Amino acid sequence: MEKNPSLILICLFVLICAAPSSLGAQTAPPSTTGLFENHGDVGTVLHPGSLEYDPSRQAYVVTGSGENMWFTTDAFHFVWKKVSDNVSLTADISFGNREGNEHKKAVLMFRQSLDPDSAYADVALHASGLTSLQYREEKGATTHEVQTNISAPARLHSVRLYETPRNFAEFFGPAHLL
């Protein structure tokens, strides 16, 4: 079976601290994007998003605007890296501001493309504390959500097994447990 690279897209409106080992190869990252290849807005947003990377703390501050990642079209800011094969992501998350849009969230996402209606699966932590798995099974389809009973975990962990591209394992919980 031919392997097509996927995009790991991280949609963040918050501070993310990711260990270098979270995304695989240990290469010297570009100073402006850290471990990631690029960032940009997907869909229609009100204000352009931004990325700040602090190499001394290996910390990312990502801001963005947009309506949501929901229904059949998404609008938000992404920080991303193309990958193939098995992938594991872990991020420690804190919100600089929990005010505003009730759908404000930090997301670890596996996505097929940068199209606003792309198929994807993610683990989402909302500013309200809601933690859920969201997914769109195919391009242009409606987003689905599975809510968890875990509120505001300190760390999110997501695994994609390439051999089964429709299967994802998402883990939520206190940082010391993941």
Side-chain angles (χ1 to χ4, degrees):
M1 178 169 84
E2 181 179 326
K3 294 183 180 181
N4 293 325
S6 299
L7 296 175
I8 292 180
L9 300 171
I10 312 300
C11 168
L12 305 168
F13 301 109
V14 298
L15 171 68
I16 294 289
C17 301
S21 61
S22 298
L23 292 174
Q26 299 283 322
T27 59
S31 62
T32 59
T33 59
L35 297 171
F36 301 98
E37 287 180 38
N38 209 340
H39 67 100
D41 294 313
V42 171
T44 303
V45 299
L46 184 59
H47 304 288
S50 67
L51 168 66
E52 295 177 25
Y53 173 61
D54 180 349
S56 66
R57 293 181 23 235
Q58 296 181 344
Y60 300 85
V61 176
V62 182
T63 60
S65 69
E67 187 60 31
N68 203 347
M69 296 175 350
W70 203 246
F71 296 118
T72 59
T73 304
D74 305 328
F76 52 91
H77 194 75
F78 273 111
V79 178
W80 59 270
K81 179 176 184 168
K82 284 186 180 182
V83 297
S84 59
D85 295 322
N86 299 334
V87 178
S88 175
L89 299 171
T90 301
D92 297 328
I93 297 172
S94 64
F95 287 87
N97 175 353
R98 292 185 180 269
E99 305 292 317
N101 188 320
E102 66 181 302
H103 299 292
K104 182 188 310 188
K105 58 189 119 182
V107 177
L108 299 181
M109 176 183 288
F110 298 97
R111 191 172 180 98
Q112 287 184 347
S113 77
L114 294 172
D115 296 337
D117 63 347
S118 176
Y120 73 90
D122 72 38
V123 55
L125 173 60
H126 296 72
S128 67
L130 171 67
T131 307
S132 62
L133 169 67
Q134 300 175 156
Y135 61 97
R136 182 178 297 129
E137 294 182 279
E138 59 188 31
K139 183 175 176 59
T142 299
T143 294
H144 301 282
E145 177 180 51
V146 178
Q147 296 182 0
T148 72
N149 61 358
I150 298 171
S151 180
R155 178 171 287 172
L156 297 179
H157 183 76
S158 183
V159 177
R160 174 185 175 265
L161 301 177
Y162 197 89
E163 290 75 21
T164 55
R166 296 184 81 119
N167 294 331
F168 297 85
E170 311 289 348
F171 303 96
F172 324 95
H176 69 279
L177 296 178
L178 298 175

